[in-house]
Amino acid sequence: MSPVQRTRVHTERTGWLVAGLLLCLVPGAAGSALSNWQLQPRFDSQYLVSKTQSTWTNTLKLSRDIDRVDLRGSLETRDKEDERRNDYVEALRKMLLRGGSQHGPANIFLDGKFSRHGTRTTRSQRQIDVDDIDIGSTIDVLARDVTWLGLELRGGRVSRSENNDRFSSLKSVYDLTRTTGLNGGAGIETGWEPRETFSLLASASYDVVVEDSRTQHIETDADTTTVDEVSDENHSYDTFYDVNCEWTRYDVAKVAFTASQSLASAQYYQASQTTQETKGTVQSITRLTVEGDLPYRFRYGVDVRSTVSSTDFLVQTRDRYDSTTDLKMRGRHELGLPVLEGALVRAELGLGRSRQESEGTTGLDTRRRTLNGDLNQPLGNRASVTVRGSASLTQDFYDDGLDDQDRLRTEATVSGKYAPSPAFRAEASFTANTEEIIKIHGSAASQSQRKRDYRVSAKYDATLPWGIVANQSFLFSATYTYYIYDEERSNTLSRSNRVKTMLTIPLWERTTMRLDHSFRTNDSGTYDFSETVGTSTYAKSREKLQHIFNVALRYQVTSILFIGAENYYDVSHTTKLDTERTTTTTKLEFTGEAGLERRLSGNVDFRAVVARTASSVENDYWNIRASVTKVFG
């Protein structure tokens, strides 16, 4: 699409947006009809342009709640284009419908989803259509003060189709899959609450889906056309039940227990095996939590969770088994010591173990140990200090022992905040972390690594005289990587420094200028081992220096209209010391923009920002953000 054509499209869609805005402002017969039907519509239209990508989205939401009928619905359209992605074009049309009606102890509900979603590029196109509708009813069989029992019956129709078309100069491939069928299910839910501090809930459900599937595969080249068609019937059965129990009578120990299990079975045609496949899945989850408050401002919590799942295939060799067990213990204490008055201490200990088995691969056992803690100490009303620490150990044990490894990670952080007045606020922190990966098997021991990272950061915000606002941040970091058992391998060091400054200056009554400057330096290299001396020497191989300077002006013409201009300059110098070659890159951009934001009569909100950027490294481009929101009623 040429720049002229692109500008014409932007103008046309902006015109449609304005037309929609004018339509929203006309009350007339439409508003009267909406009022008579007691509808509460909300219309949103948004148009976005970012360089070569444009997106236009329209959404209409409706709701009607009168007497015993509750109706909710939405319509959505989305059109998207992107020239850089092989002239990508996307179109979405979607409607959602939900309704309910209460008749005595029964509530009848309706859920519907209808969508058309298509995408196209210069090499392929895809279309997905969905038409699903469900209808059902929930019935309160028993409803007493402490006990209730409810039933749910549901059923519906599913219809889905997907076609993919891939084409080139030599061959085109077309795939079509259409699925239609029925689904149905039933559920039961009951509860018992003899008192406010105790409750027992249980539920169970069973769902069935029966579908007819038709698949067509067509390949066409210069000489021949091959057509493959498969028709089959798919079945799936799902059973789920769970139990929840809570006992909160005593503040010192509040107990909650949850257990659930799901069983699923599916029969479908497997194209790769050219036969009928049966897949079975079982998953069980159990969880127990205990928490409470103890004397001396101490709070604790214990959480135990176990998950077991297995998947079995009748034909394919893809059976899988997973199990995970985790124990977490946490504590929280407010210190009352004279020196640490008001300090808050938190700690958490975690233990875990998991097992993974997959048919055709080596089984894996994993053990986890974690410890986290922090201390926050206020220093009067103006400052505070926080100390954090963590350590984790993960051990992997494979059945064959070849890839066994230990991963140890530790981290420590000290940070502080200081705010003597609303006009000044500062923060600073230091972080050090270490990560070790130890390969247990002798053949892989030389790959064991240790990584150390150090980071110092600081920032402040200050309000200066004449309304000037200053923000500045600093970051200094260094990362060391070592091979623990192989000194002859090249260990590495990477360092980075960054200083960023921003000033916001009010020039006149309705004019503001923003100055941004960012200064960055990076260097990296290796530690080369010398057999003669027996030590390693750091050899810097690459360094980079970068300056980014940005100036922006904004003038508030009226309370609803503003105009602005921005100049962006980026220059960087990268030097490879081994070749003594320096590469310099420069980027210069100028952007002009205008924006409008106003609430109009009739509950209409209109916002629009249009910007045009001229760049030294790419073609000029638009950035547009426009939206209209109308709430009827």
Side-chain angles (χ1 to χ4, degrees), residues 240-244 256-262 283-289 303-309 324-327:
F240 175 81
Y241 57 87
D242 68 338
V243 176
N244 298 274
F257 174 78
T258 302
S260 65
Q261 186 176 54
S262 62
Q283 184 181 59
S284 301
I285 301 176
T286 305
R287 184 177 184 182
L288 173 65
T289 60
D303 190 346
V304 183
R305 181 185 177 95
S306 175
T307 303
V308 179
S309 64
T324 303
T325 302
D326 289 300
L327 168 64

Side-chain angles (χ1 to χ4, degrees), residues 514-559:
R514 191 186 75 248
L515 303 175
D516 291 322
H517 178 256
S518 180
F519 171 75
R520 301 178 183 179
T521 61
N522 303 90
D523 67 76
S524 59
T526 61
Y527 283 95
D528 298 326
F529 181 76
S530 174
E531 296 183 356
T532 305
V533 183
T535 59
S536 297
T537 304
Y538 175 62
K540 184 164 58 174
S541 60
R542 180 180 178 272
E543 59 183 8
K544 180 178 180 181
L545 172 65
Q546 182 181 29
H547 283 278
I548 300 176
F549 189 69
N550 192 44
V551 181
L553 285 172
R554 173 169 170 153
Y555 175 61
Q556 195 73 35
V557 181
T558 66
S559 60

Side-chain angles (χ1 to χ4, degrees), residues 194-467:
R195 57 182 65 90
E196 293 183 358
T197 58
F198 181 82
S199 65
L200 179 63
L201 308 176
S203 65
S205 63
Y206 182 73
D207 293 279
V208 180
V209 179
V210 179
E211 299 175 332
D212 290 323
S213 176
R214 178 174 175 266
T215 302
Q216 187 179 52
H217 178 80
I218 302 176
E219 291 189 12
T220 303
D221 55 23
D223 300 322
T224 61
T225 299
T226 304
V227 180
D228 295 324
E229 294 188 9
V230 175
S231 299
D232 203 1
E233 189 173 278
N234 303 331
H235 302 263
S236 65
Y237 310 91
D238 296 306
T239 302
F240 175 81
Y241 57 87
D242 68 338
V243 176
N244 298 274
C245 180
E246 289 188 4
W247 186 47
T248 59
R249 180 175 180 180
Y250 301 104
D251 291 337
V252 71
K254 299 180 180 180
V255 183
F257 174 78
T258 302
S260 65
Q261 186 176 54
S262 62
L263 302 94
S265 176
Q267 297 176 355
Y268 55 92
Y269 179 79
Q270 181 63 43
S272 61
Q273 304 292 328
T274 64
T275 186
Q276 188 80 5
E277 176 66 281
T278 300
K279 175 185 176 182
T281 304
V282 179
Q283 184 181 59
S284 301
I285 301 176
T286 305
R287 184 177 184 182
L288 173 65
T289 60
V290 181
E291 60 182 16
D293 296 322
L294 299 177
Y296 306 105
R297 294 180 290 185
F298 184 81
R299 177 176 294 180
Y300 77 96
V302 179
D303 190 346
V304 183
R305 181 185 177 95
S306 175
T307 303
V308 179
S309 64
S310 63
T311 303
D312 297 317
F313 292 88
L314 182 63
V315 179
Q316 301 178 83
T317 56
R318 295 171 52 197
D319 294 356
R320 184 179 178 88
Y321 171 84
D322 295 278
S323 67
T324 303
T325 302
D326 289 300
L327 168 64
K328 291 184 178 180
M329 297 175 287
R330 60 186 181 276
R332 180 177 182 271
H333 181 49
E334 295 182 13
L335 299 179
L337 301 176
V339 180
L340 298 176
E341 181 70 29
L344 178 62
V345 179
R346 291 176 295 188
E348 181 179 279
L349 173 65
L351 306 174
R353 183 168 184 171
S354 61
R355 172 70 180 177
Q356 296 180 5
E357 297 179 5
S358 183
E359 194 170 5
T361 62
T362 304
L364 169 63
D365 280 308
T366 302
R367 299 173 185 174
R368 297 175 297 276
R369 309 287 187 269
T370 59
L371 177 63
N372 304 300
D374 64 76
L375 168 66
N376 180 266
Q377 172 63 61
L379 303 176
N381 297 325
R382 299 180 177 181
S384 65
V385 176
T386 302
V387 180
R388 295 186 179 91
S390 65
S392 64
L393 173 63
T394 303
Q395 297 175 293
D396 293 334
F397 301 95
Y398 290 84
D399 290 348
D400 57 10
L402 297 178
D403 296 317
D404 292 359
Q405 65 177 13
D406 293 344
R407 298 190 300 273
L408 174 63
R409 179 181 175 86
T410 60
E411 181 173 319
T413 301
V414 179
S415 62
K417 297 181 180 180
Y418 179 58
S421 68
F424 183 82
R425 182 180 60 186
E427 299 179 11
S429 68
F430 170 75
T431 301
N433 66 63
T434 302
E435 183 179 8
E436 292 186 4
I437 301 178
I438 306 299
K439 301 293 185 178
I440 306 301
H441 197 271
S443 61
S446 61
Q447 301 177 20
S448 300
Q449 279 190 347
R450 178 185 294 116
K451 182 178 179 181
R452 292 179 177 174
D453 184 84
Y454 302 95
R455 185 179 298 262
V456 178
S457 64
K459 67 176 182 178
Y460 71 85
D461 304 323
T463 301
L464 306 177
W466 303 292

Side-chain angles (χ1 to χ4, degrees), residues 587-601:
K587 181 178 181 180
L588 180 62
E589 291 184 343
F590 178 80
T591 301
E593 67 175 355
L596 176 66
E597 179 176 349
R598 185 175 183 181
R599 166 159 289 213
L600 305 175
S601 60

Side-chain angles (χ1 to χ4, degrees), residues 20-172:
L21 172 63
L22 296 177
L23 180 62
C24 292
L25 295 177
V26 179
S32 177
L34 295 172
S35 177
N36 294 335
W37 281 90
Q38 301 186 29
L39 296 175
Q40 301 172 359
R42 176 188 175 94
F43 173 74
D44 293 280
S45 182
Q46 188 178 63
Y47 183 50
L48 302 176
V49 177
S50 179
K51 297 184 178 181
T52 61
Q53 177 179 299
S54 63
T55 305
W56 189 20
T57 305
N58 298 281
T59 305
L60 176 63
K61 296 183 179 180
L62 301 171
S63 63
R64 186 171 188 259
D65 189 1
I66 59 173
D67 297 332
R68 295 174 299 179
V69 179
D70 182 14
L71 180 64
R72 300 286 185 272
S74 67
L75 296 171
E76 179 183 353
T77 67
R78 183 173 73 238
D79 295 279
K80 185 175 182 180
E81 299 177 1
D82 192 348
E83 293 183 5
R84 293 188 176 182
R85 296 171 55 188
N86 296 318
D87 290 334
Y88 177 84
V89 177
E90 177 184 0
L92 172 67
R93 307 292 183 265
K94 182 171 65 175
M95 181 176 71
L96 300 178
L97 180 63
R98 293 181 179 179
S101 179
Q102 189 72 36
H103 298 274
N107 178 47
I108 300 175
F109 62 85
L110 172 71
D111 285 330
K113 178 181 179 181
F114 312 93
S115 68
R116 302 291 182 266
H117 189 194
T119 59
R120 185 180 74 249
T121 68
T122 55
R123 300 177 181 177
S124 64
Q125 62 183 16
R126 184 182 187 186
Q127 180 72 31
I128 301 177
D129 299 339
V130 176
D131 296 297
D132 293 346
I133 186 167
D134 291 309
I135 188 171
S137 176
T138 59
I139 305 172
D140 296 328
V141 179
L142 176 64
R144 295 182 178 177
D145 294 338
V146 298
T147 306
W148 73 88
L149 176 66
L151 298 177
E152 180 179 336
L153 301 174
R154 54 188 175 272
R157 180 181 182 274
V158 296
S159 176
R160 302 182 182 182
S161 67
E162 177 178 349
N163 62 71
N164 293 277
D165 197 357
R166 303 177 299 278
F167 37 82
S168 65
S169 58
L170 300 179
K171 183 175 67 173
S172 64

